Amino acid sequence: LAGTDLREYAMAVCYPGESRARYLRHCDVSRGAVLTSILYLNDGWRSEDGGCLRIFWPGSVVSEGSRRVADASCGEAHVKEDVLPQAGRLLLFWASEEVPHEVLPTR
């Protein structure tokens, strides 16, 4: 991480259950970040609340012009891990094309 500027834009989000909010499959390359960090602050989360972070194996996102979009042919077979959004959990992963991910719908 030598030469990395740790002062970058922060993204704070809330995925409310009543709107079945989600964030479609993507890679965090467009914002110029090196590392993605996610800290869950949702006390009282239950599995029926949904909103898991789904991480896919590399190659499940493709280029469409200047945008990176989900490769519909990949489907569920390329799921690497579903991470439960439990309060206090901190996730760190490379902000690269090697870590496509999405937030599953909340309930």
XYZ file of all heavy atoms in Angstrom:
832
model
N 0.814 -1.204 0.000
C 0.000 0.000 0.000
C 0.855 1.265 0.000
O 0.357 2.346 0.277
C -0.942 -0.001 1.196
C -1.993 -1.115 1.244
C -2.755 -1.067 2.552
C -2.926 -1.046 0.080
N 2.127 1.101 -0.294
C 3.019 2.252 -0.352
C 2.491 3.258 -1.367
O 2.049 2.905 -2.455
C 4.423 1.800 -0.727
N 2.548 4.513 -1.015
C 2.089 5.564 -1.911
C 0.581 5.722 -1.971
O 0.061 6.475 -2.797
N -0.135 5.029 -1.107
C -1.596 5.102 -1.103
C -2.063 6.316 -0.310
O -1.597 6.562 0.792
C -2.194 3.825 -0.477
O -1.754 2.712 -1.218
C -3.709 3.876 -0.466
N -2.952 7.070 -0.872
C -3.566 8.201 -0.189
C -4.792 7.670 0.542
O -5.766 7.270 -0.088
C -3.969 9.269 -1.204
C -4.614 10.483 -0.557
O -4.749 10.516 0.684
O -4.979 11.396 -1.308
N -4.731 7.627 1.864
C -5.833 7.062 2.638
C -6.977 8.040 2.848
O -7.962 7.713 3.484
C -5.317 6.544 3.978
C -4.289 5.424 3.853
C -3.759 5.032 5.222
C -4.852 4.224 3.122
N -6.870 9.214 2.295
C -7.951 10.191 2.393
C -8.743 10.147 1.096
O -8.368 10.734 0.098
C -7.390 11.585 2.624
C -6.701 11.718 3.966
C -5.968 13.014 4.063
N -4.857 12.924 3.093
C -4.254 13.961 2.564
N -4.624 15.168 2.861
N -3.262 13.814 1.719
N -9.835 9.436 1.103
C -10.679 9.367 -0.090
C -12.125 9.557 0.316
O -12.446 9.648 1.489
C -10.485 8.044 -0.820
C -10.999 6.840 -0.049
C -11.007 5.605 -0.911
O -9.948 5.177 -1.332
O -12.103 5.083 -1.143
N -12.975 9.604 -0.671
C -14.394 9.782 -0.418
C -14.957 8.601 0.350
O -14.632 7.458 0.072
C -15.150 9.934 -1.737
C -14.712 11.129 -2.528
C -13.948 10.978 -3.672
C -15.044 12.417 -2.116
C -13.521 12.083 -4.393
C -14.626 13.523 -2.832
C -13.866 13.344 -3.968
O -13.449 14.427 -4.670
N -15.805 8.903 1.298
C -16.489 7.864 2.063
C -17.915 7.745 1.552
O -18.522 8.729 1.131
C -16.496 8.208 3.541
N -18.432 6.543 1.594
C -19.809 6.295 1.177
C -20.544 5.718 2.382
O -20.163 4.663 2.884
C -19.819 5.297 0.014
C -21.187 4.923 -0.474
S -21.027 3.801 -1.888
C -22.568 2.946 -1.810
N -21.520 6.410 2.882
C -22.334 5.925 3.993
C -23.714 5.597 3.439
O -24.331 6.430 2.776
C -22.435 6.974 5.089
N -24.189 4.382 3.684
C -25.480 3.973 3.125
C -26.339 3.278 4.176
O -25.845 2.726 5.150
C -25.321 3.029 1.911
C -24.624 3.725 0.771
C -24.582 1.776 2.285
N -27.621 3.310 3.915
C -28.608 2.580 4.701
C -29.524 1.885 3.700
O -29.993 2.512 2.750
C -29.396 3.554 5.577
S -30.742 2.769 6.481
N -29.747 0.599 3.888
C -30.621 -0.159 2.994
C -31.901 -0.508 3.764
O -31.968 -1.538 4.416
C -29.921 -1.435 2.510
C -28.696 -1.157 1.689
C -27.426 -1.263 2.230
C -28.810 -0.799 0.358
C -26.296 -1.012 1.461
C -27.691 -0.541 -0.418
C -26.441 -0.655 0.147
O -25.341 -0.398 -0.616
N -32.931 0.355 3.710
C -34.152 0.132 4.482
C -34.957 -1.078 3.985
O -35.124 -1.263 2.779
C -34.944 1.425 4.318
C -34.332 2.142 3.171
C -32.961 1.587 2.952
N -35.421 -1.867 4.923
C -36.170 -3.078 4.586
C -37.491 -2.829 3.908
O -37.889 -3.575 3.014
N -38.176 -1.737 4.292
C -39.507 -1.503 3.720
C -39.456 -1.226 2.219
O -40.437 -1.403 1.515
C -40.244 -0.370 4.448
C -39.551 0.966 4.441
C -38.562 1.157 5.582
O -38.337 0.220 6.363
O -38.006 2.255 5.691
N -38.294 -0.825 1.698
C -38.185 -0.580 0.257
C -37.457 -1.719 -0.467
O -37.196 -1.619 -1.656
C -37.464 0.743 -0.001
O -36.132 0.655 0.461
N -37.137 -2.782 0.258
C -36.406 -3.926 -0.313
C -35.154 -3.439 -1.042
O -34.840 -3.849 -2.152
C -37.298 -4.756 -1.224
C -38.457 -5.385 -0.470
C -39.168 -6.482 -1.212
N -38.368 -7.426 -1.953
C -37.740 -8.493 -1.445
N -37.774 -8.729 -0.171
N -37.078 -9.316 -2.230
N -34.427 -2.534 -0.402
C -33.241 -1.919 -0.993
C -32.161 -2.958 -1.266
O -32.086 -3.994 -0.604
C -32.707 -0.841 -0.059
N -31.317 -2.654 -2.260
C -30.203 -3.526 -2.636
C -29.182 -2.712 -3.409
O -29.426 -1.558 -3.748
C -30.681 -4.704 -3.465
C -31.277 -4.293 -4.808
C -31.663 -5.464 -5.664
N -30.491 -6.263 -5.916
C -30.523 -7.528 -6.323
N -31.653 -8.109 -6.558
N -29.426 -8.199 -6.505
N -28.043 -3.304 -3.712
C -27.015 -2.672 -4.533
C -26.542 -3.739 -5.497
O -25.998 -4.758 -5.089
C -25.864 -2.176 -3.649
C -25.016 -1.101 -4.266
C -24.973 0.177 -3.725
C -24.223 -1.357 -5.379
C -24.185 1.171 -4.262
C -23.437 -0.378 -5.932
C -23.409 0.881 -5.373
O -22.623 1.855 -5.908
N -26.763 -3.541 -6.784
C -26.486 -4.566 -7.795
C -25.001 -4.886 -7.901
O -24.145 -4.094 -7.506
C -27.030 -4.116 -9.146
C -28.541 -3.919 -9.209
C -28.951 -3.389 -10.570
C -29.286 -5.194 -8.871
N -24.721 -6.039 -8.483
C -23.351 -6.541 -8.629
C -22.453 -5.519 -9.329
O -22.806 -4.958 -10.355
C -23.371 -7.842 -9.425
C -22.066 -8.585 -9.395
C -22.095 -9.863 -10.213
N -23.344 -10.584 -10.109
C -23.566 -11.762 -10.680
N -22.628 -12.343 -11.392
N -24.716 -12.361 -10.556
N -21.266 -5.301 -8.741
C -20.333 -4.315 -9.268
C -18.943 -4.568 -8.697
O -18.761 -5.418 -7.830
C -20.789 -2.893 -8.892
C -20.755 -2.642 -7.423
N -21.700 -3.149 -6.557
C -19.872 -1.965 -6.662
C -21.408 -2.786 -5.328
N -20.286 -2.061 -5.357
N -17.967 -3.833 -9.184
C -16.616 -3.800 -8.635
C -16.318 -2.363 -8.243
O -16.788 -1.431 -8.881
C -15.583 -4.270 -9.668
S -15.719 -6.004 -10.093
N -15.530 -2.171 -7.204
C -15.237 -0.829 -6.709
C -13.992 -0.233 -7.371
O -13.090 0.229 -6.698
C -15.029 -0.869 -5.188
C -16.303 -1.163 -4.430
O -17.383 -1.017 -5.013
O -16.207 -1.540 -3.253
N -13.949 -0.230 -8.689
C -12.767 0.287 -9.383
C -12.948 1.721 -9.868
O -11.974 2.438 -10.045
C -12.370 -0.620 -10.576
C -11.931 -1.980 -10.094
C -13.503 -0.754 -11.564
N -14.164 2.178 -10.060
C -14.399 3.485 -10.670
C -14.033 4.658 -9.766
O -13.768 5.740 -10.251
C -15.857 3.615 -11.103
O -16.698 3.540 -9.981
N -13.981 4.456 -8.474
C -13.692 5.576 -7.572
C -12.211 5.720 -7.262
O -11.810 6.551 -6.461
C -14.519 5.468 -6.294
C -14.330 4.204 -5.534
C -15.374 4.055 -4.423
N -15.175 2.793 -3.764
C -14.465 2.639 -2.667
N -13.914 3.674 -2.093
N -14.315 1.450 -2.141
N -11.372 4.898 -7.874
C -9.932 5.011 -7.700
C -9.430 4.501 -6.370
O -8.303 4.798 -5.971
N -10.230 3.743 -5.660
C -9.836 3.221 -4.352
C -8.926 2.008 -4.505
O -8.911 1.338 -5.532
C -11.072 2.833 -3.556
N -8.185 1.722 -3.466
C -7.339 0.532 -3.407
C -7.991 -0.513 -2.515
O -7.951 -1.696 -2.794
C -5.934 0.892 -2.865
C -5.104 -0.352 -2.651
C -5.241 1.863 -3.789
N -8.616 -0.054 -1.438
C -9.191 -0.943 -0.447
C -10.623 -0.506 -0.157
O -10.903 0.689 -0.044
C -8.353 -0.863 0.839
C -8.589 -1.891 1.918
C -8.183 -3.282 1.433
C -7.780 -1.528 3.162
N -11.521 -1.468 -0.047
C -12.893 -1.194 0.368
C -13.040 -1.648 1.805
O -12.602 -2.752 2.161
C -13.903 -1.940 -0.526
O -13.829 -1.415 -1.849
C -15.325 -1.793 -0.010
N -13.646 -0.823 2.636
C -13.927 -1.213 4.021
C -15.415 -1.003 4.285
O -16.001 -0.017 3.853
C -13.079 -0.408 5.012
O -13.353 0.952 4.897
N -15.993 -1.969 4.974
C -17.414 -1.907 5.332
C -17.509 -2.213 6.821
O -17.010 -3.242 7.282
C -18.244 -2.934 4.535
C -18.157 -2.665 3.034
C -19.703 -2.927 5.018
C -18.798 -3.742 2.181
N -18.149 -1.329 7.563
C -18.396 -1.541 8.984
C -19.912 -1.555 9.182
O -20.593 -0.575 8.854
C -17.764 -0.434 9.830
C -18.044 -0.501 11.336
C -17.528 -1.804 11.941
C -17.455 0.711 12.032
N -20.426 -2.662 9.693
C -21.867 -2.788 9.925
C -22.220 -2.220 11.291
O -21.625 -2.579 12.299
C -22.303 -4.251 9.825
C -22.201 -4.793 8.423
C -21.160 -5.644 8.060
C -23.130 -4.444 7.453
C -21.065 -6.137 6.765
C -23.043 -4.927 6.162
C -22.001 -5.773 5.834
O -21.910 -6.251 4.556
N -23.220 -1.332 11.314
C -23.645 -0.654 12.543
C -25.090 -0.983 12.912
O -25.680 -0.294 13.740
C -23.494 0.864 12.364
C -22.085 1.347 12.025
C -22.103 2.829 11.691
C -21.121 1.042 13.159
N -25.659 -1.998 12.302
C -27.083 -2.299 12.465
C -27.342 -3.259 13.629
O -27.431 -4.466 13.450
C -27.665 -2.839 11.157
C -26.821 -3.939 10.558
O -25.661 -4.083 10.891
N -27.399 -4.731 9.683
N -27.494 -2.704 14.819
C -27.837 -3.515 15.990
C -29.166 -4.215 15.766
O -30.075 -3.662 15.147
C -27.954 -2.636 17.240
C -26.599 -2.167 17.742
O -25.606 -2.885 17.549
O -26.550 -1.070 18.327
N -29.280 -5.420 16.250
C -30.542 -6.145 16.167
C -30.821 -6.790 14.826
O -31.947 -7.213 14.570
N -29.809 -6.866 13.936
C -30.033 -7.505 12.634
C -30.397 -8.974 12.838
O -29.855 -9.657 13.691
C -28.776 -7.395 11.764
C -28.933 -8.077 10.446
C -29.499 -7.570 9.321
C -28.549 -9.412 10.118
N -29.495 -8.493 8.312
C -28.912 -9.645 8.781
C -27.942 -10.445 10.827
C -28.685 -10.846 8.143
C -27.716 -11.653 10.190
C -28.083 -11.838 8.855
N -31.359 -9.447 12.038
C -31.776 -10.853 12.047
C -31.660 -11.393 10.630
O -31.782 -10.628 9.662
C -33.226 -10.970 12.524
C -33.458 -10.375 13.905
C -34.919 -10.128 14.152
N -35.421 -9.250 13.091
C -36.681 -9.080 12.792
N -37.614 -9.678 13.471
N -37.055 -8.278 11.822
N -31.461 -12.673 10.479
C -31.277 -13.253 9.141
C -32.462 -12.958 8.230
O -32.286 -12.755 7.024
C -31.006 -14.753 9.225
O -32.076 -15.409 9.855
N -33.666 -12.871 8.787
C -34.831 -12.584 7.946
C -34.859 -11.129 7.459
O -35.660 -10.778 6.596
C -36.144 -12.935 8.665
C -36.380 -12.228 9.958
C -35.889 -12.999 11.188
O -35.059 -13.902 11.058
O -36.349 -12.658 12.293
N -33.963 -10.270 7.976
C -33.869 -8.886 7.510
C -33.184 -8.780 6.153
O -33.319 -7.768 5.470
C -33.098 -8.022 8.514
C -33.826 -7.888 9.844
O -35.071 -7.988 9.857
O -33.142 -7.689 10.859
N -32.439 -9.796 5.750
C -31.733 -9.775 4.466
C -30.591 -8.780 4.461
O -30.093 -8.373 5.502
N -30.179 -8.360 3.261
C -29.126 -7.364 3.126
C -27.712 -7.911 3.213
O -26.781 -7.146 3.451
N -27.536 -9.217 2.999
C -26.192 -9.798 3.036
C -25.336 -9.239 1.907
O -25.845 -8.890 0.844
C -26.249 -11.312 2.882
S -26.986 -12.146 4.297
N -24.042 -9.185 2.131
C -23.106 -8.822 1.077
C -22.711 -10.117 0.374
O -22.214 -11.047 1.015
C -21.852 -8.154 1.645
C -20.823 -7.788 0.584
C -21.262 -6.547 -0.177
C -19.453 -7.580 1.198
N -22.965 -10.196 -0.905
C -22.619 -11.384 -1.695
C -21.347 -11.080 -2.485
O -21.304 -10.123 -3.254
C -23.741 -11.787 -2.625
C -23.374 -12.937 -3.543
C -24.579 -13.568 -4.155
N -25.237 -14.387 -3.140
C -26.412 -14.975 -3.305
N -27.075 -14.822 -4.435
N -26.943 -15.707 -2.346
N -20.328 -11.883 -2.278
C -19.061 -11.735 -2.985
C -18.972 -12.845 -4.031
O -19.253 -14.002 -3.734
C -17.874 -11.805 -2.013
C -17.993 -10.665 -0.987
C -16.546 -11.724 -2.761
C -16.971 -10.727 0.123
N -18.587 -12.468 -5.231
C -18.490 -13.410 -6.349
C -17.030 -13.691 -6.681
O -16.139 -12.899 -6.361
C -19.169 -12.831 -7.602
C -20.640 -12.613 -7.439
C -21.121 -11.412 -6.956
C -21.549 -13.607 -7.760
C -22.478 -11.198 -6.796
C -22.909 -13.408 -7.601
C -23.371 -12.202 -7.119
N -16.808 -14.788 -7.334
C -15.488 -15.089 -7.867
C -15.174 -14.096 -8.981
O -16.086 -13.595 -9.633
C -15.426 -16.522 -8.409
C -15.471 -17.541 -7.325
C -16.565 -18.267 -6.932
C -14.405 -17.929 -6.471
N -16.239 -19.074 -5.880
C -14.914 -18.898 -5.584
C -13.065 -17.549 -6.366
C -14.125 -19.498 -4.601
C -12.284 -18.155 -5.390
C -12.813 -19.117 -4.526
N -13.893 -13.794 -9.206
C -13.526 -12.876 -10.302
C -14.095 -13.344 -11.635
O -14.275 -14.536 -11.864
C -11.996 -12.940 -10.316
C -11.617 -13.391 -8.947
C -12.729 -14.301 -8.490
N -14.406 -12.375 -12.505
C -14.916 -12.695 -13.837
C -16.420 -12.632 -13.943
O -16.973 -12.836 -15.018
N -17.125 -12.318 -12.838
C -18.586 -12.265 -12.903
C -19.093 -10.855 -13.169
O -20.274 -10.593 -13.070
C -19.203 -12.833 -11.627
O -18.815 -12.090 -10.509
N -18.191 -9.945 -13.513
C -18.547 -8.592 -13.939
C -17.815 -8.333 -15.241
O -16.659 -8.688 -15.399
C -18.154 -7.541 -12.869
C -18.400 -6.138 -13.368
C -18.922 -7.774 -11.585
N -18.494 -7.760 -16.215
C -17.904 -7.539 -17.542
C -17.985 -6.065 -17.919
O -18.759 -5.308 -17.357
C -18.607 -8.394 -18.621
C -18.410 -9.870 -18.341
C -20.086 -8.076 -18.702
N -17.184 -5.658 -18.896
C -17.207 -4.280 -19.384
C -18.332 -4.089 -20.375
O -18.604 -4.953 -21.198
C -15.879 -3.948 -20.081
O -14.855 -3.902 -19.145
N -18.993 -2.941 -20.264
C -20.013 -2.536 -21.228
C -19.746 -1.064 -21.515
O -20.231 -0.190 -20.820
C -21.403 -2.757 -20.636
C -22.527 -2.572 -21.620
C -23.854 -2.896 -20.973
O -24.265 -4.062 -21.034
O -24.481 -1.970 -20.420
N -18.899 -0.818 -22.506
C -18.432 0.541 -22.745
C -17.503 0.942 -21.617
O -16.574 0.236 -21.281
N -17.796 2.061 -20.971
C -16.969 2.517 -19.855
C -17.498 2.026 -18.515
O -16.913 2.284 -17.480
C -16.909 4.045 -19.850
O -18.215 4.570 -19.668
N -18.610 1.307 -18.539
C -19.212 0.810 -17.295
C -18.852 -0.647 -17.055
O -18.556 -1.396 -17.968
C -20.736 0.933 -17.346
C -21.226 2.333 -17.467
C -22.735 2.389 -17.540
N -23.310 1.122 -17.933
C -24.506 0.688 -17.557
N -25.248 1.416 -16.801
N -24.978 -0.459 -17.965
N -18.910 -1.052 -15.783
C -18.724 -2.447 -15.394
C -20.078 -2.955 -14.915
O -20.672 -2.364 -14.024
C -17.701 -2.565 -14.272
C -16.372 -1.931 -14.593
C -15.542 -2.738 -15.535
N -15.203 -3.982 -14.902
C -14.905 -5.090 -15.537
N -14.900 -5.122 -16.843
N -14.603 -6.190 -14.907
N -20.594 -4.012 -15.536
C -21.921 -4.517 -15.189
C -21.859 -6.016 -14.932
O -20.916 -6.693 -15.319
C -22.952 -4.231 -16.314
C -23.113 -2.734 -16.502
C -22.522 -4.886 -17.611
N -22.899 -6.533 -14.289
C -22.962 -7.953 -13.976
C -23.030 -8.787 -15.245
O -23.701 -8.421 -16.200
C -24.184 -8.235 -13.104
N -22.331 -9.882 -15.246
C -22.405 -10.845 -16.347
C -23.549 -11.791 -16.020
O -23.441 -12.641 -15.138
C -21.088 -11.605 -16.462
C -21.077 -12.614 -17.601
O -22.141 -12.810 -18.232
O -20.027 -13.197 -17.850
N -24.657 -11.634 -16.701
C -25.868 -12.411 -16.407
C -25.648 -13.912 -16.558
O -26.359 -14.710 -15.962
C -27.005 -11.949 -17.308
N -24.660 -14.324 -17.325
C -24.425 -15.757 -17.525
C -23.790 -16.411 -16.306
O -23.743 -17.624 -16.202
C -23.524 -15.981 -18.747
O -22.227 -15.463 -18.512
N -23.285 -15.614 -15.364
C -22.603 -16.185 -14.202
C -23.580 -16.757 -13.187
O -23.348 -17.825 -12.645
C -21.718 -15.136 -13.530
S -20.268 -14.756 -14.505
N -24.643 -16.038 -12.903
C -25.670 -16.509 -11.986
C -25.137 -16.870 -10.614
O -24.104 -16.406 -10.166
N -25.855 -17.726 -9.925
C -25.532 -18.120 -8.559
C -24.295 -19.004 -8.479
O -23.672 -19.104 -7.437
C -26.720 -18.885 -7.947
C -28.010 -18.107 -7.917
C -28.051 -17.096 -6.801
O -27.576 -17.419 -5.694
O -28.538 -15.987 -7.028
N -23.920 -19.665 -9.557
C -22.820 -20.629 -9.528
C -21.486 -19.988 -9.169
O -20.593 -20.665 -8.707
C -22.711 -21.331 -10.869
N -21.340 -18.684 -9.363
C -20.069 -18.030 -9.105
C -20.033 -17.284 -7.778
O -19.185 -16.424 -7.566
C -19.713 -17.085 -10.251
C -19.390 -17.804 -11.521
N -18.599 -18.908 -11.583
C -19.751 -17.572 -12.786
C -18.485 -19.325 -12.828
N -19.199 -18.528 -13.577
N -20.937 -17.632 -6.869
C -20.945 -17.013 -5.545
C -19.771 -17.572 -4.746
O -19.600 -18.779 -4.623
C -22.270 -17.285 -4.804
C -22.198 -16.809 -3.368
C -23.421 -16.625 -5.537
N -18.969 -16.666 -4.217
C -17.831 -17.062 -3.385
C -18.229 -17.115 -1.915
O -17.881 -18.042 -1.209
C -16.684 -16.081 -3.595
C -15.409 -16.450 -2.908
C -14.305 -15.471 -3.296
C -12.959 -15.952 -2.853
N -11.891 -15.044 -3.290
N -18.971 -16.079 -1.467
C -19.328 -16.002 -0.053
C -20.502 -15.049 0.142
O -20.608 -14.036 -0.541
C -18.135 -15.479 0.749
C -18.279 -15.514 2.230
C -18.172 -16.908 2.812
O -17.363 -17.707 2.322
O -18.933 -17.198 3.758
N -21.388 -15.380 1.071
C -22.419 -14.457 1.530
C -22.025 -14.030 2.940
O -21.836 -14.880 3.821
C -23.798 -15.119 1.555
C -24.423 -15.225 0.177
O -23.962 -14.527 -0.749
O -25.372 -16.009 0.023
N -21.868 -12.738 3.145
C -21.427 -12.201 4.432
C -22.624 -11.593 5.147
O -23.298 -10.720 4.603
C -20.325 -11.133 4.237
C -19.869 -10.586 5.584
C -19.155 -11.716 3.452
N -22.873 -12.054 6.356
C -23.992 -11.544 7.150
C -23.655 -10.161 7.682
O -22.557 -9.938 8.203
C -24.275 -12.489 8.318
C -24.538 -13.951 7.960
C -24.749 -14.774 9.226
C -25.710 -14.076 7.020
N -24.579 -9.204 7.566
C -24.318 -7.828 8.017
C -24.550 -7.658 9.517
O -25.434 -6.913 9.953
C -25.306 -7.013 7.186
C -26.450 -7.939 6.975
C -25.847 -9.313 6.852
N -23.755 -8.321 10.320
C -23.917 -8.273 11.769
C -23.203 -7.062 12.351
O -22.072 -6.756 11.961
C -23.381 -9.562 12.391
C -24.158 -10.780 11.950
C -23.536 -12.076 12.408
O -22.334 -12.181 12.556
N -24.373 -13.076 12.614
N -23.855 -6.393 13.292
C -23.305 -5.187 13.914
C -21.903 -5.438 14.454
O -21.635 -6.474 15.064
C -24.219 -4.708 15.038
N -21.004 -4.494 14.171
C -19.633 -4.601 14.643
C -18.701 -5.334 13.689
O -17.491 -5.317 13.884
N -19.230 -5.954 12.665
C -18.397 -6.681 11.699
C -17.705 -5.680 10.775
O -18.334 -4.782 10.242
C -19.239 -7.647 10.886
C -18.455 -8.346 9.776
C -19.211 -9.493 9.198
N -19.096 -10.605 10.127
C -19.876 -11.685 10.098
N -20.824 -11.796 9.195
N -19.713 -12.648 10.968
N -16.406 -5.863 10.593
C -15.614 -5.026 9.704
C -15.091 -5.896 8.569
O -14.465 -6.924 8.811
C -14.434 -4.399 10.455
C -13.434 -3.619 9.597
C -14.087 -2.378 8.991
C -12.213 -3.241 10.432
N -15.379 -5.485 7.338
C -14.884 -6.185 6.148
C -13.876 -5.309 5.441
O -14.092 -4.106 5.293
C -16.022 -6.467 5.167
C -17.170 -7.329 5.631
C -18.223 -7.399 4.539
C -16.688 -8.702 5.972
N -12.808 -5.910 4.981
C -11.810 -5.228 4.167
C -11.540 -6.110 2.966
O -11.315 -7.310 3.115
C -10.507 -5.032 4.946
C -10.587 -4.204 6.225
C -9.278 -4.284 6.990
C -10.919 -2.765 5.900
N -11.592 -5.513 1.767
C -11.229 -6.269 0.576
C -10.721 -5.308 -0.489
O -10.975 -4.108 -0.441
C -12.378 -7.150 0.065
C -13.678 -6.447 -0.195
C -13.948 -5.869 -1.426
C -14.653 -6.386 0.786
C -15.164 -5.243 -1.673
C -15.868 -5.758 0.551
C -16.121 -5.189 -0.687
N -9.943 -5.846 -1.410
C -9.359 -5.031 -2.466
C -10.447 -4.427 -3.343
O -11.382 -5.117 -3.734
C -8.398 -5.852 -3.324
C -7.243 -6.386 -2.551
C -6.938 -7.690 -2.331
C -6.229 -5.626 -1.870
N -5.813 -7.789 -1.562
C -5.354 -6.543 -1.263
C -5.978 -4.264 -1.726
C -4.251 -6.135 -0.516
C -4.877 -3.861 -0.971
C -4.032 -4.789 -0.384
N -10.325 -3.158 -3.638
C -11.252 -2.456 -4.528
C -10.761 -2.672 -5.957
O -10.172 -1.793 -6.569
C -11.297 -0.970 -4.178
N -10.982 -3.875 -6.457
C -10.464 -4.247 -7.774
C -11.477 -5.131 -8.490
O -12.490 -5.533 -7.913
C -9.144 -5.005 -7.622
O -9.376 -6.310 -7.111
N -11.165 -5.460 -9.711
C -12.031 -6.350 -10.491
C -12.001 -7.780 -9.962
O -12.781 -8.616 -10.399
C -11.620 -6.310 -11.959
C -11.873 -4.965 -12.584
C -11.494 -4.905 -14.050
O -11.187 -5.960 -14.639
O -11.508 -3.805 -14.605
N -11.116 -8.045 -9.027
C -11.011 -9.383 -8.435
C -12.085 -9.646 -7.389
O -12.221 -10.781 -6.932
C -9.623 -9.557 -7.798
C -8.479 -9.447 -8.788
C -8.524 -10.554 -9.835
O -8.666 -11.723 -9.468
O -8.431 -10.214 -11.038
N -12.845 -8.611 -6.998
C -13.841 -8.783 -5.932
C -15.195 -8.192 -6.339
O -15.665 -7.216 -5.752
C -13.357 -8.153 -4.606
C -14.269 -8.596 -3.448
C -11.921 -8.514 -4.297
N -15.858 -8.796 -7.339
C -17.216 -8.333 -7.647
C -18.144 -8.675 -6.486
O -17.991 -9.730 -5.847
C -17.581 -9.095 -8.919
C -16.614 -10.222 -9.014
C -15.415 -9.876 -8.196
N -19.093 -7.796 -6.197
C -19.970 -8.009 -5.045
C -21.274 -7.245 -5.224
O -21.388 -6.399 -6.099
C -19.282 -7.566 -3.754
C -18.818 -6.148 -3.775
N -17.671 -5.750 -4.432
C -19.352 -5.019 -3.260
C -17.505 -4.453 -4.298
N -18.528 -3.982 -3.602
N -22.254 -7.590 -4.396
C -23.543 -6.909 -4.384
C -24.139 -7.003 -2.993
O -23.733 -7.849 -2.195
C -24.503 -7.500 -5.417
C -24.998 -8.884 -5.077
C -25.954 -9.442 -6.131
O -26.590 -8.668 -6.852
O -26.053 -10.673 -6.220
N -25.091 -6.126 -2.711
C -25.873 -6.214 -1.479
C -27.215 -6.818 -1.865
O -27.927 -6.287 -2.718
C -26.066 -4.831 -0.819
C -26.949 -4.955 0.416
C -24.716 -4.220 -0.463
N -27.542 -7.948 -1.254
C -28.811 -8.623 -1.540
C -29.978 -7.828 -0.962
O -29.794 -7.041 -0.034
C -28.779 -10.038 -0.957
C -27.707 -10.952 -1.550
C -27.726 -12.306 -0.845
C -27.862 -11.124 -3.042
N -31.172 -8.010 -1.507
C -32.334 -7.227 -1.064
C -32.592 -7.354 0.452
O -32.441 -8.430 1.027
C -33.503 -7.820 -1.844
C -32.882 -8.449 -3.039
C -31.540 -8.944 -2.587
N -32.972 -6.239 1.037
C -33.403 -6.241 2.426
C -34.879 -6.619 2.472
O -35.583 -6.560 1.481
C -33.187 -4.857 3.076
O -33.881 -3.889 2.281
C -31.708 -4.503 3.136
N -35.330 -7.001 3.637
C -36.737 -7.391 3.805
C -37.332 -6.710 5.012
O -36.725 -6.441 5.955
C -36.854 -8.909 3.987
C -36.467 -9.658 2.750
C -36.543 -11.156 2.981
N -35.177 -11.593 2.694
C -34.535 -12.545 3.283
N -35.090 -13.228 4.232
N -33.324 -12.875 2.954
